[in-house]
PDB file of all heavy atoms in Angstrom:
ATOM      1  N   ASP A   1     -22.955  37.515 -16.685  1.00  0.00           N
ATOM      2  CA  ASP A   1     -21.845  38.267 -16.101  1.00  0.00           C
ATOM      3  C   ASP A   1     -20.546  37.990 -16.856  1.00  0.00           C
ATOM      4  O   ASP A   1     -19.739  38.899 -17.104  1.00  0.00           O
ATOM      5  CB  ASP A   1     -21.661  37.891 -14.630  1.00  0.00           C
ATOM      6  CG  ASP A   1     -22.857  38.282 -13.781  1.00  0.00           C
ATOM      7  OD1 ASP A   1     -23.551  39.255 -14.134  1.00  0.00           O
ATOM      8  OD2 ASP A   1     -23.107  37.573 -12.768  1.00  0.00           O
ATOM      9  N   LEU A   2     -20.331  36.731 -17.234  1.00  0.00           N
ATOM     10  CA  LEU A   2     -19.104  36.351 -17.941  1.00  0.00           C
ATOM     11  C   LEU A   2     -19.055  36.971 -19.335  1.00  0.00           C
ATOM     12  O   LEU A   2     -17.987  37.403 -19.802  1.00  0.00           O
ATOM     13  CB  LEU A   2     -19.005  34.830 -18.034  1.00  0.00           C
ATOM     14  CG  LEU A   2     -18.818  34.095 -16.695  1.00  0.00           C
ATOM     15  CD1 LEU A   2     -18.906  32.580 -16.911  1.00  0.00           C
ATOM     16  CD2 LEU A   2     -17.485  34.463 -16.051  1.00  0.00           C
ATOM     17  N   LEU A   3     -20.194  36.980 -20.002  1.00  0.00           N
ATOM     18  CA  LEU A   3     -20.231  37.567 -21.341  1.00  0.00           C
ATOM     19  C   LEU A   3     -19.951  39.069 -21.274  1.00  0.00           C
ATOM     20  O   LEU A   3     -19.311  39.643 -22.178  1.00  0.00           O
ATOM     21  CB  LEU A   3     -21.587  37.313 -21.999  1.00  0.00           C
ATOM     22  CG  LEU A   3     -21.875  35.863 -22.413  1.00  0.00           C
ATOM     23  CD1 LEU A   3     -23.322  35.712 -22.886  1.00  0.00           C
ATOM     24  CD2 LEU A   3     -20.900  35.419 -23.513  1.00  0.00           C
ATOM     25  N   ALA A   4     -20.418  39.707 -20.194  1.00  0.00           N
ATOM     26  CA  ALA A   4     -20.194  41.150 -20.056  1.00  0.00           C
ATOM     27  C   ALA A   4     -18.735  41.455 -19.711  1.00  0.00           C
ATOM     28  O   ALA A   4     -18.204  42.517 -20.079  1.00  0.00           O
ATOM     29  CB  ALA A   4     -21.122  41.715 -18.982  1.00  0.00           C
ATOM     30  N   ASN A   5     -18.091  40.548 -19.059  1.00  0.00           N
ATOM     31  CA  ASN A   5     -16.693  40.769 -18.661  1.00  0.00           C
ATOM     32  C   ASN A   5     -15.943  39.442 -18.708  1.00  0.00           C
ATOM     33  O   ASN A   5     -15.634  38.847 -17.681  1.00  0.00           O
ATOM     34  CB  ASN A   5     -16.644  41.354 -17.251  1.00  0.00           C
ATOM     35  CG  ASN A   5     -15.258  41.775 -16.846  1.00  0.00           C
ATOM     36  OD1 ASN A   5     -14.375  42.007 -17.696  1.00  0.00           O
ATOM     37  ND2 ASN A   5     -15.030  41.863 -15.535  1.00  0.00           N
ATOM     38  N   PRO A   6     -15.621  38.947 -19.909  1.00  0.00           N
ATOM     39  CA  PRO A   6     -14.995  37.625 -20.034  1.00  0.00           C
ATOM     40  C   PRO A   6     -13.588  37.593 -19.433  1.00  0.00           C
ATOM     41  O   PRO A   6     -12.771  38.484 -19.709  1.00  0.00           O
ATOM     42  CB  PRO A   6     -14.958  37.397 -21.551  1.00  0.00           C
ATOM     43  CG  PRO A   6     -15.038  38.748 -22.149  1.00  0.00           C
ATOM     44  CD  PRO A   6     -15.862  39.576 -21.212  1.00  0.00           C
ATOM     45  N   PRO A   7     -13.296  36.578 -18.611  1.00  0.00           N
ATOM     46  CA  PRO A   7     -11.945  36.472 -18.023  1.00  0.00           C
ATOM     47  C   PRO A   7     -10.884  36.079 -19.054  1.00  0.00           C
ATOM     48  O   PRO A   7      -9.693  36.286 -18.808  1.00  0.00           O
ATOM     49  CB  PRO A   7     -12.113  35.389 -16.956  1.00  0.00           C
ATOM     50  CG  PRO A   7     -13.325  34.619 -17.348  1.00  0.00           C
ATOM     51  CD  PRO A   7     -14.216  35.559 -18.051  1.00  0.00           C
ATOM     52  N   TYR A   8     -11.321  35.505 -20.215  1.00  0.00           N
ATOM     53  CA  TYR A   8     -10.375  35.125 -21.278  1.00  0.00           C
ATOM     54  C   TYR A   8     -10.837  35.794 -22.578  1.00  0.00           C
ATOM     55  O   TYR A   8     -11.502  35.190 -23.407  1.00  0.00           O
ATOM     56  CB  TYR A   8     -10.335  33.595 -21.453  1.00  0.00           C
ATOM     57  CG  TYR A   8     -10.027  32.844 -20.164  1.00  0.00           C
ATOM     58  CD1 TYR A   8     -11.065  32.255 -19.428  1.00  0.00           C
ATOM     59  CD2 TYR A   8      -8.726  32.726 -19.699  1.00  0.00           C
ATOM     60  CE1 TYR A   8     -10.797  31.565 -18.253  1.00  0.00           C
ATOM     61  CE2 TYR A   8      -8.459  32.040 -18.522  1.00  0.00           C
ATOM     62  CZ  TYR A   8      -9.505  31.457 -17.794  1.00  0.00           C
ATOM     63  OH  TYR A   8      -9.242  30.797 -16.635  1.00  0.00           O
ATOM     64  N   PRO A   9     -10.463  37.056 -22.769  1.00  0.00           N
ATOM     65  CA  PRO A   9     -10.949  37.770 -23.966  1.00  0.00           C
ATOM     66  C   PRO A   9     -10.360  37.261 -25.268  1.00  0.00           C
ATOM     67  O   PRO A   9     -10.958  37.435 -26.336  1.00  0.00           O
ATOM     68  CB  PRO A   9     -10.530  39.223 -23.707  1.00  0.00           C
ATOM     69  CG  PRO A   9      -9.419  39.149 -22.719  1.00  0.00           C
ATOM     70  CD  PRO A   9      -9.665  37.939 -21.900  1.00  0.00           C
ATOM     71  N   ASN A  10      -9.231  36.619 -25.245  1.00  0.00           N
ATOM     72  CA  ASN A  10      -8.623  36.083 -26.455  1.00  0.00           C
ATOM     73  C   ASN A  10      -8.986  34.604 -26.583  1.00  0.00           C
ATOM     74  O   ASN A  10      -8.580  33.774 -25.758  1.00  0.00           O
ATOM     75  CB  ASN A  10      -7.106  36.256 -26.429  1.00  0.00           C
ATOM     76  CG  ASN A  10      -6.684  37.711 -26.350  1.00  0.00           C
ATOM     77  OD1 ASN A  10      -7.251  38.568 -27.042  1.00  0.00           O
ATOM     78  ND2 ASN A  10      -5.706  38.000 -25.507  1.00  0.00           N
ATOM     79  N   PHE A  11      -9.749  34.276 -27.616  1.00  0.00           N
ATOM     80  CA  PHE A  11     -10.234  32.918 -27.782  1.00  0.00           C
ATOM     81  C   PHE A  11      -9.092  31.977 -28.170  1.00  0.00           C
ATOM     82  O   PHE A  11      -8.298  32.281 -29.067  1.00  0.00           O
ATOM     83  CB  PHE A  11     -11.322  32.875 -28.866  1.00  0.00           C
ATOM     84  CG  PHE A  11     -11.951  31.514 -29.028  1.00  0.00           C
ATOM     85  CD1 PHE A  11     -12.925  31.054 -28.167  1.00  0.00           C
ATOM     86  CD2 PHE A  11     -11.526  30.660 -30.057  1.00  0.00           C
ATOM     87  CE1 PHE A  11     -13.481  29.804 -28.329  1.00  0.00           C
ATOM     88  CE2 PHE A  11     -12.081  29.407 -30.210  1.00  0.00           C
ATOM     89  CZ  PHE A  11     -13.063  28.962 -29.341  1.00  0.00           C
ATOM     90  N   ASP A  12      -9.044  30.809 -27.479  1.00  0.00           N
ATOM     91  CA  ASP A  12      -8.020  29.811 -27.780  1.00  0.00           C
ATOM     92  C   ASP A  12      -8.606  28.445 -27.448  1.00  0.00           C
ATOM     93  O   ASP A  12      -9.033  28.207 -26.308  1.00  0.00           O
ATOM     94  CB  ASP A  12      -6.770  30.079 -26.937  1.00  0.00           C
ATOM     95  CG  ASP A  12      -5.688  29.056 -27.182  1.00  0.00           C
ATOM     96  OD1 ASP A  12      -4.983  29.164 -28.197  1.00  0.00           O
ATOM     97  OD2 ASP A  12      -5.576  28.119 -26.342  1.00  0.00           O
ATOM     98  N   LEU A  13      -8.626  27.527 -28.461  1.00  0.00           N
ATOM     99  CA  LEU A  13      -9.253  26.214 -28.246  1.00  0.00           C
ATOM    100  C   LEU A  13      -8.585  25.426 -27.118  1.00  0.00           C
ATOM    101  O   LEU A  13      -9.272  24.787 -26.311  1.00  0.00           O
ATOM    102  CB  LEU A  13      -9.220  25.403 -29.544  1.00  0.00           C
ATOM    103  CG  LEU A  13     -10.257  25.775 -30.613  1.00  0.00           C
ATOM    104  CD1 LEU A  13     -10.018  24.972 -31.887  1.00  0.00           C
ATOM    105  CD2 LEU A  13     -11.679  25.509 -30.076  1.00  0.00           C
ATOM    106  N   ALA A  14      -7.262  25.430 -27.060  1.00  0.00           N
ATOM    107  CA  ALA A  14      -6.570  24.688 -26.008  1.00  0.00           C
ATOM    108  C   ALA A  14      -6.943  25.225 -24.628  1.00  0.00           C
ATOM    109  O   ALA A  14      -7.121  24.460 -23.662  1.00  0.00           O
ATOM    110  CB  ALA A  14      -5.065  24.763 -26.218  1.00  0.00           C
ATOM    111  N   GLN A  15      -7.106  26.582 -24.540  1.00  0.00           N
ATOM    112  CA  GLN A  15      -7.508  27.182 -23.268  1.00  0.00           C
ATOM    113  C   GLN A  15      -8.938  26.795 -22.918  1.00  0.00           C
ATOM    114  O   GLN A  15      -9.266  26.585 -21.760  1.00  0.00           O
ATOM    115  CB  GLN A  15      -7.374  28.703 -23.358  1.00  0.00           C
ATOM    116  CG  GLN A  15      -7.560  29.425 -22.029  1.00  0.00           C
ATOM    117  CD  GLN A  15      -6.447  29.127 -21.033  1.00  0.00           C
ATOM    118  OE1 GLN A  15      -5.265  29.125 -21.398  1.00  0.00           O
ATOM    119  NE2 GLN A  15      -6.827  28.882 -19.785  1.00  0.00           N
ATOM    120  N   VAL A  16      -9.789  26.692 -23.954  1.00  0.00           N
ATOM    121  CA  VAL A  16     -11.174  26.247 -23.717  1.00  0.00           C
ATOM    122  C   VAL A  16     -11.180  24.858 -23.070  1.00  0.00           C
ATOM    123  O   VAL A  16     -11.897  24.600 -22.095  1.00  0.00           O
ATOM    124  CB  VAL A  16     -11.977  26.224 -25.041  1.00  0.00           C
ATOM    125  CG1 VAL A  16     -13.319  25.520 -24.845  1.00  0.00           C
ATOM    126  CG2 VAL A  16     -12.189  27.640 -25.551  1.00  0.00           C
ATOM    127  N   ALA A  17     -10.376  23.930 -23.615  1.00  0.00           N
ATOM    128  CA  ALA A  17     -10.314  22.574 -23.080  1.00  0.00           C
ATOM    129  C   ALA A  17      -9.798  22.577 -21.639  1.00  0.00           C
ATOM    130  O   ALA A  17     -10.292  21.812 -20.788  1.00  0.00           O
ATOM    131  CB  ALA A  17      -9.409  21.720 -23.963  1.00  0.00           C
ATOM    132  N   ALA A  18      -8.817  23.435 -21.339  1.00  0.00           N
ATOM    133  CA  ALA A  18      -8.268  23.501 -19.990  1.00  0.00           C
ATOM    134  C   ALA A  18      -9.294  24.043 -18.992  1.00  0.00           C
ATOM    135  O   ALA A  18      -9.445  23.530 -17.887  1.00  0.00           O
ATOM    136  CB  ALA A  18      -7.010  24.375 -19.994  1.00  0.00           C
ATOM    137  N   VAL A  19     -10.033  25.091 -19.390  1.00  0.00           N
ATOM    138  CA  VAL A  19     -11.062  25.658 -18.499  1.00  0.00           C
ATOM    139  C   VAL A  19     -12.166  24.636 -18.242  1.00  0.00           C
ATOM    140  O   VAL A  19     -12.655  24.486 -17.119  1.00  0.00           O
ATOM    141  CB  VAL A  19     -11.638  26.952 -19.114  1.00  0.00           C
ATOM    142  CG1 VAL A  19     -12.877  27.412 -18.334  1.00  0.00           C
ATOM    143  CG2 VAL A  19     -10.578  28.050 -19.127  1.00  0.00           C
ATOM    144  N   ALA A  20     -12.554  23.920 -19.276  1.00  0.00           N
ATOM    145  CA  ALA A  20     -13.640  22.942 -19.134  1.00  0.00           C
ATOM    146  C   ALA A  20     -13.303  21.897 -18.073  1.00  0.00           C
ATOM    147  O   ALA A  20     -14.167  21.466 -17.292  1.00  0.00           O
ATOM    148  CB  ALA A  20     -13.906  22.274 -20.476  1.00  0.00           C
ATOM    149  N   GLN A  21     -12.019  21.483 -17.989  1.00  0.00           N
ATOM    150  CA  GLN A  21     -11.632  20.421 -17.053  1.00  0.00           C
ATOM    151  C   GLN A  21     -11.638  20.883 -15.592  1.00  0.00           C
ATOM    152  O   GLN A  21     -11.571  20.062 -14.676  1.00  0.00           O
ATOM    153  CB  GLN A  21     -10.248  19.891 -17.439  1.00  0.00           C
ATOM    154  CG  GLN A  21     -10.252  19.174 -18.789  1.00  0.00           C
ATOM    155  CD  GLN A  21      -8.873  18.687 -19.205  1.00  0.00           C
ATOM    156  OE1 GLN A  21      -8.280  17.820 -18.548  1.00  0.00           O
ATOM    157  NE2 GLN A  21      -8.345  19.251 -20.286  1.00  0.00           N
ATOM    158  N   GLN A  22     -11.733  22.186 -15.380  1.00  0.00           N
ATOM    159  CA  GLN A  22     -11.798  22.692 -14.008  1.00  0.00           C
ATOM    160  C   GLN A  22     -13.117  22.336 -13.318  1.00  0.00           C
ATOM    161  O   GLN A  22     -13.199  22.405 -12.085  1.00  0.00           O
ATOM    162  CB  GLN A  22     -11.633  24.221 -14.013  1.00  0.00           C
ATOM    163  CG  GLN A  22     -10.287  24.718 -14.518  1.00  0.00           C
ATOM    164  CD  GLN A  22     -10.236  26.235 -14.619  1.00  0.00           C
ATOM    165  OE1 GLN A  22     -11.160  26.935 -14.177  1.00  0.00           O
ATOM    166  NE2 GLN A  22      -9.157  26.755 -15.195  1.00  0.00           N
ATOM    167  N   TYR A  23     -14.113  21.942 -14.097  1.00  0.00           N
ATOM    168  CA  TYR A  23     -15.451  21.731 -13.527  1.00  0.00           C
ATOM    169  C   TYR A  23     -15.794  20.244 -13.335  1.00  0.00           C
ATOM    170  O   TYR A  23     -16.955  19.896 -13.170  1.00  0.00           O
ATOM    171  CB  TYR A  23     -16.499  22.431 -14.399  1.00  0.00           C
ATOM    172  CG  TYR A  23     -16.275  23.920 -14.457  1.00  0.00           C
ATOM    173  CD1 TYR A  23     -15.702  24.524 -15.584  1.00  0.00           C
ATOM    174  CD2 TYR A  23     -16.590  24.730 -13.369  1.00  0.00           C
ATOM    175  CE1 TYR A  23     -15.456  25.883 -15.625  1.00  0.00           C
ATOM    176  CE2 TYR A  23     -16.345  26.101 -13.403  1.00  0.00           C
ATOM    177  CZ  TYR A  23     -15.776  26.662 -14.531  1.00  0.00           C
ATOM    178  OH  TYR A  23     -15.535  28.022 -14.552  1.00  0.00           O
ATOM    179  N   GLN A  24     -14.766  19.411 -13.325  1.00  0.00           N
ATOM    180  CA  GLN A  24     -15.031  17.996 -13.046  1.00  0.00           C
ATOM    181  C   GLN A  24     -15.619  17.852 -11.634  1.00  0.00           C
ATOM    182  O   GLN A  24     -15.126  18.443 -10.674  1.00  0.00           O
ATOM    183  CB  GLN A  24     -13.740  17.187 -13.136  1.00  0.00           C
ATOM    184  CG  GLN A  24     -13.156  17.103 -14.537  1.00  0.00           C
ATOM    185  CD  GLN A  24     -11.884  16.255 -14.560  1.00  0.00           C
ATOM    186  OE1 GLN A  24     -11.945  15.037 -14.471  1.00  0.00           O
ATOM    187  NE2 GLN A  24     -10.743  16.914 -14.687  1.00  0.00           N
ATOM    188  N   GLY A  25     -16.665  17.062 -11.544  1.00  0.00           N
ATOM    189  CA  GLY A  25     -17.312  16.841 -10.248  1.00  0.00           C
ATOM    190  C   GLY A  25     -18.541  17.678 -10.018  1.00  0.00           C
ATOM    191  O   GLY A  25     -19.271  17.442  -9.043  1.00  0.00           O
ATOM    192  N   VAL A  26     -18.798  18.671 -10.892  1.00  0.00           N
ATOM    193  CA  VAL A  26     -20.044  19.438 -10.731  1.00  0.00           C
ATOM    194  C   VAL A  26     -21.226  18.506 -11.005  1.00  0.00           C
ATOM    195  O   VAL A  26     -21.253  17.809 -12.020  1.00  0.00           O
ATOM    196  CB  VAL A  26     -20.073  20.650 -11.691  1.00  0.00           C
ATOM    197  CG1 VAL A  26     -21.431  21.348 -11.621  1.00  0.00           C
ATOM    198  CG2 VAL A  26     -18.952  21.621 -11.338  1.00  0.00           C
ATOM    199  N   PRO A  27     -22.220  18.462 -10.133  1.00  0.00           N
ATOM    200  CA  PRO A  27     -23.343  17.539 -10.337  1.00  0.00           C
ATOM    201  C   PRO A  27     -24.206  17.934 -11.526  1.00  0.00           C
ATOM    202  O   PRO A  27     -24.324  19.111 -11.877  1.00  0.00           O
ATOM    203  CB  PRO A  27     -24.133  17.648  -9.023  1.00  0.00           C
ATOM    204  CG  PRO A  27     -23.782  18.995  -8.485  1.00  0.00           C
ATOM    205  CD  PRO A  27     -22.349  19.237  -8.873  1.00  0.00           C
ATOM    206  N   TYR A  28     -24.798  16.918 -12.120  1.00  0.00           N
ATOM    207  CA  TYR A  28     -25.735  17.167 -13.213  1.00  0.00           C
ATOM    208  C   TYR A  28     -27.041  17.703 -12.627  1.00  0.00           C
ATOM    209  O   TYR A  28     -27.591  17.143 -11.678  1.00  0.00           O
ATOM    210  CB  TYR A  28     -26.021  15.877 -13.979  1.00  0.00           C
ATOM    211  CG  TYR A  28     -27.039  16.064 -15.083  1.00  0.00           C
ATOM    212  CD1 TYR A  28     -26.631  16.380 -16.374  1.00  0.00           C
ATOM    213  CD2 TYR A  28     -28.401  15.954 -14.830  1.00  0.00           C
ATOM    214  CE1 TYR A  28     -27.556  16.570 -17.394  1.00  0.00           C
ATOM    215  CE2 TYR A  28     -29.335  16.141 -15.833  1.00  0.00           C
ATOM    216  CZ  TYR A  28     -28.918  16.448 -17.120  1.00  0.00           C
ATOM    217  OH  TYR A  28     -29.837  16.641 -18.119  1.00  0.00           O
TER     218      TYR A  28
END
């Protein structure tokens, strides 16, 4: 679903790092 309609169409490494930190606490 995300690939079909990406919420961040403009790629940015700093934004990638910020999005990744939103998922702290998700269980393995």
Side-chain angles (χ1 to χ4, degrees):
D1 296 332
L2 294 173
L3 289 173
N5 188 21
Y8 305 100
N10 299 317
F11 184 80
D12 179 79
L13 283 175
Q15 189 67 44
V16 169
V19 170
Q21 294 178 64
Q22 296 175 8
Y23 299 103
Q24 293 181 74
V26 174
Y28 177 92

